[in-house]
Amino acid sequence: MKTATAHWNLQMTSIARHSRQIVAAGIASAILLGSLSLAQAAEIIKPTGVLELFTSQGCSSCPPADRVLSELASKGETLALAWHVDYWDYIGWKDTFSKPEYTKRQRDYAVTLGESGIYTPQAIINGRVHVVGSRGNQVNQSLDEFAGSENGMTVDIDAKIENGILKVDIPASSQAADATLWMVYFQGKTPVKIERGELTGQTLNYTNIVTNVEMLGMVGEKPLSAAFPVKDLGKRGSESCALILQKTTSHGTPGAIIGAAIIRNLSN
């Protein structure tokens, strides 16, 4: 009887030990998968073109253009950015995303493109041409014409994520010479209820709202290299960011955009 009991206890001890090993292995696997998931959360996309939409929550003509931008953003082939301007705020509703710097960017583009004034919704493609942002066919036509041409993304931004670090390299070349590399932070879809102004009572969904812009450096005779911890980028409070390589005109205003990369899911 004692022998049987001892054998039974030995079996139960072995089973318990084996169970603990299985649980431990399961926990380790879960931690590993979780780590891999976090490492893979941020992703890099190379767009074929850049659309900048100058828009406003106080503009009754803007919602159709906002939808055009949203559709392009969802396809993933275009870096579509919404710059909310502040010059319609006086009508009665202050755009919750607007900044005077964004209005200045649009005014600077007017100088670049030889225009006497600005308007909303204005779409600027690759920093080269402008069309009315609500005219989806014209926006798409310009993007398609520029893609893969000398008016497209002709300079590759070598961007990759290794061990939680975003590494960026741009080789020196005649095309990239004197171009400035910018980091543009933006937020995904955000609903806003408009309580005053031309769109009173409407709840509108805005996409890829620019929240902040930083200059990273210029490409000179030597390559431009930079590195950023992805977690630090996520602390800026935006879901995604983009690298834009842009020329500057002789007027000191924004010129042609010659390269771009999108980094998504910073907050994960």
Side-chain angles (χ1 to χ4, degrees):
M1 186 70 177
K2 290 182 180 180
T3 302
T5 300
H7 181 66
W8 170 260
N9 290 338
L10 183 62
Q11 281 186 321
M12 293 304 295
T13 300
S14 176
I15 291 171
R17 185 183 301 113
H18 185 59
S19 297
R20 287 195 296 271
Q21 290 174 343
I22 292 174
V23 172
I27 293 173
S29 297
I31 292 173
L32 177 60
L33 288 172
S35 299
L36 288 173
S37 177
L38 287 173
Q40 294 171 353
E43 61 173 336
I44 297 174
I45 300 169
K46 297 292 184 69
T48 58
V50 178
L51 165 70
E52 298 178 80
L53 177 66
F54 291 91
T55 185
S56 172
Q57 295 169 9
C59 164
S60 60
S61 301
C62 286
D66 297 323
R67 288 192 290 272
V68 170
L69 180 143
S70 181
E71 291 171 4
L72 283 169
S74 67
K75 294 178 181 178
E77 297 177 357
T78 302
L79 170 56
L81 298 171
W83 301 82
H84 284 247
V85 297
D86 65 351
Y87 50 83
W88 295 125
D89 290 356
Y90 78 92
I91 293 178
W93 175 255
K94 185 183 185 308
D95 191 305
T96 56
F97 307 128
S98 67
K99 291 185 179 181
E101 305 96 283
Y102 304 164
T103 298
K104 181 181 183 304
R105 182 173 179 82
Q106 188 183 20
R107 292 191 189 282
D108 286 346
Y109 264 131
V111 175
T112 297
L113 300 173
E115 298 296 326
S116 58
I118 57 177
Y119 63 92
T120 55
Q122 182 183 36
I124 295 179
I125 293 91
N126 293 5
R128 297 176 183 272
V129 299
H130 75 98
V131 299
V132 177
S134 56
R135 297 175 181 172
N137 289 338
Q138 290 186 14
V139 170
N140 283 288
Q141 182 179 350
S142 294
L143 285 165
D144 290 342
E145 288 178 353
F146 286 170
S149 75
E150 61 181 9
N151 292 323
M153 304 295 101
T154 55
V155 176
D156 179 57
I157 297 177
D158 182 11
K160 55 182 176 291
I161 297 173
E162 295 180 348
N163 300 319
I165 302 295
L166 171 64
K167 298 181 179 180
V168 181
D169 291 286
I170 301 175
S173 67
S174 57
Q175 286 182 315
D178 300 323
T180 302
L181 182 63
W182 300 89
M183 180 78 84
V184 180
Y185 296 87
F186 59 95
Q187 194 67 19
K189 288 185 179 296
T190 304
V192 176
K193 184 177 180 180
I194 312 299
E195 297 178 357
R196 292 183 299 278
E198 294 184 346
L199 298 171
T200 300
Q202 297 189 41
T203 297
L204 302 173
N205 289 305
Y206 293 98
T207 306
N208 287 11
I209 308 135
V210 175
T211 58
N212 196 21
V213 184
E214 294 178 350
M215 185 178 77
L216 301 182
M218 293 184 66
V219 182
E221 296 180 356
K222 296 181 179 180
L224 174 62
S225 298
F228 314 89
V230 173
K231 64 178 182 179
D232 288 350
L233 297 176
K235 291 177 182 178
R236 301 302 179 91
S238 295
E239 296 174 353
S240 305
C241 64
L243 295 164
I244 293 179
L245 188 64
Q246 186 166 29
K247 292 282 192 173
T248 302
T249 71
S250 58
H251 301 289
T253 56
I257 295 175
I258 57 177
I262 305 169
I263 302 94
R264 294 195 181 279
N265 306 324
L266 295 177
S267 57
N268 290 343

